[in-house]
Amino acid sequence: MSAPRLFKSRLIILAIILAIGVFLRLPPELFQPNTGPLHALESLHPRPDDQKGGYDERLYEAYAKAIGANGLTSYPDIVRAYIEKQKTLPSSILPPLRFFYIFLAYLYHALFSTPERTALHYLSSIFSMLTLLLSAIFASRLGRSGYTLGVTALMAVAPTQLHMSQHGLIDGFFTFWAMLALWSLYAIGVGALMAFAPTQLHMSQHALVDGFFTFWATLVLWSLWENLRSPRDWRWLALYVFALCACVITKENAFFVWIAFIGIIVANRWLAFGVVTREMIIATVLGSLLGVVILLILAGGVGSLIETYTLSVSKNYTLDYAIQTGDGPWYRYLVDLLLVSPVVLLLAIGAVFTIRREQKVEWFFALFIAISYLIMCNIKYGMNLRYANMWDLPLRVLAFSQVLSLSRLFPRAQNWLIIGATSVLCLIEFHQYIVLAVNFPLYELATQYLMYALKILKFSPQLHP
């Protein structure tokens, strides 16, 4: 097949994968019998068994309604009302500092006259789709930058070789179209794994902030990578600042993610992902600071913001549901990930144990997971796989990298092995989603519920907070 035709065929495959991923992320309301606009396709859409939602969803809905009733300028009053209510409660409830998610749900409600709860569901679905698209774009950019895995003959099928190809190896070997085809190959592999990721699909079907936050954290990760590779480009700097700000006003406790980004910047001194400039350091501080300033304005001052955060954290230590579902040893996230995406996790761990110094992309994502993991596993009564939703892309990049690495053992059948392995992985991932969320009323991604869905435990736990 000629290089242009190969590139076109891969783009078509990528478009099909993205279309399937988007379809799976559509909210179940669209497939309601008789009333839903897509009810004719109801049998094709895996409807999650849980339709009740949880307490957090009702709080997001109440905050969105409060904006609609009193206007955006009343947000300090919403925060003060939360403080007064939280003081009287024995345990924690969700604070209104998840502003960006709440505000966009209000905007959706105002623009399309949908109920606030439905608007929240649609917003989760839309941003899960955007995360999928962003993952494919990010993956294609990673393929261009490339990894130096070694053998020139294998560069024709491994997109991770493109960086080295731009340093003399390309002459007489690659054409422009072939390079584009390699980028699309990497986008296809990672995009396919993201399209069927169980936790991505699960979050797209519930009005929870974690999937929404994943989009912004992934956008920060991408813009950080691009800033390292293209220093002093004002467009990437602007995107980086905006994404950091969005993270902060989406989750008031986004500090743990910010620390992971700082860790990557510091590690650049030894791993040489790219160039750390003064402008990028300023942008890293500026983006987060801008988000904090917005929260200060919304909260009505420093005192209200600090009191809101401290009340939420301190009262969480007495919340029975958090104690029952958010506790565990440091390897709790590994256990939960093994239950949800066993093969992807094992491949990703394999990639980490075989990583070499020149594999910049693997180090970049492995560091992000490791640093954020170190913080997240030490939060008392605060461990939940929902919070690890932002690891889905890094884990699948590492897993696909391991697939590429293992396929090198069989050079004559390498293409078919990559296609076959990726297809099997997608089927396993989709089967996990069906078992966990379609055949079982899963809402909270806590260990005991996952084990019950997988029939490891034989008793029925309380499924909702």
Side-chain angles (χ1 to χ4, degrees):
M1 187 181 297
S2 65
R5 288 180 61 192
L6 178 61
F7 175 57
K8 182 180 290 187
S9 66
R10 286 182 174 176
L11 280 183
I12 292 172
I13 293 171
L14 179 59
I16 292 172
I17 289 171
L18 293 177
I20 294 173
V22 167
F23 178 78
L24 294 175
R25 285 160 171 77
L26 289 173
E29 290 87 350
L30 297 178
F31 298 90
Q32 293 287 352
N34 302 321
T35 59
L38 299 178
H39 65 88
L41 301 175
E42 181 186 6
S43 60
L44 300 177
H45 189 262
R47 181 185 177 89
D49 194 31
D50 174 74
Q51 295 295 315
K52 296 178 181 178
Y55 188 62
D56 285 358
E57 296 187 36
R58 294 190 287 274
L59 280 174
Y60 288 132
E61 180 184 11
Y63 293 144
K65 285 182 176 179
I67 296 177
N70 304 306
L72 185 59
T73 56
S74 68
Y75 215 82
D77 296 328
I78 297 174
V79 174
R80 280 192 289 270
Y82 164 82
I83 292 172
E84 294 306 316
K85 183 176 182 180
Q86 182 66 90
K87 287 179 178 178
T88 65
L89 296 176
S91 56
S92 176
I93 61 172
L94 190 77
L97 297 179
R98 315 285 170 89
F99 168 73
F100 205 18
Y101 184 56
I102 297 165
F103 178 65
L104 288 185
Y106 157 71
L107 280 183
Y108 195 100
H109 157 75
L111 289 172
F112 301 105
S113 300
T114 57
E116 288 84 354
R117 185 71 168 272
T118 303
L120 287 162
H121 282 155
Y122 283 8
L123 200 62
S124 293
S125 176
I126 290 169
F127 272 84
S128 183
M129 297 173 193
L130 291 175
T131 300
L132 174 61
L133 179 60
L134 178 60
S135 299
I137 296 172
F138 193 178
S140 68
R141 299 286 292 180
L142 294 175
R144 181 191 68 174
S145 301
Y147 319 170
T148 53
L149 294 182
V151 183
T152 304
L154 297 179
M155 295 176 73
V157 290
T160 56
Q161 308 301 312
L162 289 177
H163 179 65
M164 290 303 294
S165 74
Q166 295 171 356
H167 292 273
L169 297 178
I170 191 172
D171 298 331
F173 192 76
F174 280 129
T175 64
F176 172 73
W177 288 104
M179 291 171 63
L180 289 178
L182 293 178
W183 298 355
S184 63
L185 171 65
Y186 204 73
I188 287 170
V190 176
L193 295 181
M194 281 295 287
F196 295 96
T199 46
Q200 289 291 313
L201 294 176
H202 181 70
M203 297 311 300
S204 73
Q205 304 297 298
H206 293 86
L208 294 167
V209 76
D210 305 278
F212 180 80
F213 179 76
T214 293
F215 172 80
W216 298 111
T218 305
L219 189 61
V220 175
L221 206 57
W222 177 36
S223 55
L224 174 59
W225 172 264
E226 296 291 356
N227 275 293
L228 288 168
R229 310 299 287 183
S230 303
R232 296 187 175 89
D233 188 326
W234 68 267
R235 294 166 297 182
W236 291 119
L237 286 169
L239 181 64
Y240 184 49
V241 170
F242 174 70
L244 279 168
C245 177
C247 276
V248 175
I249 61 177
T250 297
K251 265 193 174 183
E252 75 288 349
N253 56 2
F255 178 75
F256 68 93
V257 185
W258 187 78
I259 291 296
F261 300 139
I262 294 296
I264 291 173
I265 293 172
V266 172
N268 184 74
R269 177 172 181 176
W270 297 276
L271 295 172
F273 302 121
V275 179
V276 175
T277 63
R278 181 177 61 181
E279 290 84 354
M280 194 178 75
I281 297 298
I282 294 172
T284 303
V285 176
L286 179 63
S288 304
L289 186 61
L290 183 60
V292 172
V293 169
I294 292 173
L295 287 183
L296 282 172
I297 296 171
L298 292 168
V302 176
S304 294
L305 180 62
I306 294 175
E307 188 173 10
T308 300
Y309 183 75
T310 53
L311 276 172
S312 174
V313 172
S314 61
K315 291 294 183 77
N316 195 55
Y317 294 152
T318 60
L319 180 61
D320 288 340
Y321 187 79
I323 295 170
Q324 293 171 10
T325 64
D327 200 8
W330 66 268
Y331 49 84
R332 156 80 184 271
Y333 284 112
L334 292 176
V335 172
D336 291 349
L337 286 168
L338 190 63
L339 292 171
V340 174
S341 298
V343 184
V344 166
L345 178 65
L346 293 176
L347 285 170
I349 292 174
V352 171
F353 277 99
T354 58
I355 193 170
R356 292 181 289 183
R357 185 179 179 85
E358 63 268 21
Q359 293 177 271
K360 308 300 182 184
V361 174
E362 282 88 345
W363 277 112
F364 183 81
F365 285 108
L367 275 174
F368 175 71
I369 295 173
I371 298 171
S372 54
Y373 190 112
L374 181 63
I375 300 171
M376 290 165 60
C377 73
N378 282 289
I379 298 175
K380 189 175 182 180
Y381 305 141
M383 286 193 281
N384 191 302
L385 195 58
R386 282 195 290 117
Y387 312 147
N389 198 251
M390 62 181 181
W391 294 340
D392 280 343
L393 175 61
L395 284 171
R396 279 149 186 82
V397 168
L398 291 170
F400 188 66
S401 173
Q402 186 69 350
V403 169
L404 292 177
S405 180
L406 292 173
S407 69
R408 290 188 300 153
L409 300 173
F410 307 94
R412 292 186 178 181
Q414 190 171 28
N415 281 335
W416 290 111
L417 284 173
I418 294 171
I419 293 170
T422 305
S423 300
V424 170
L425 277 175
C426 290
L427 288 174
I428 293 172
E429 291 279 273
F430 187 57
H431 176 263
Q432 287 293 101
Y433 174 69
I434 296 297
V435 171
L436 292 169
V438 178
N439 297 339
F440 180 81
L442 183 70
Y443 176 75
E444 195 65 84
L445 297 176
T447 309
Q448 53 267 53
Y449 305 150
L450 297 174
M451 295 181 76
Y452 183 74
L454 295 168
K455 298 182 180 179
I456 297 172
L457 294 180
K458 300 301 182 182
F459 65 90
S460 179
Q462 177 66 34
L463 293 177
H464 291 278

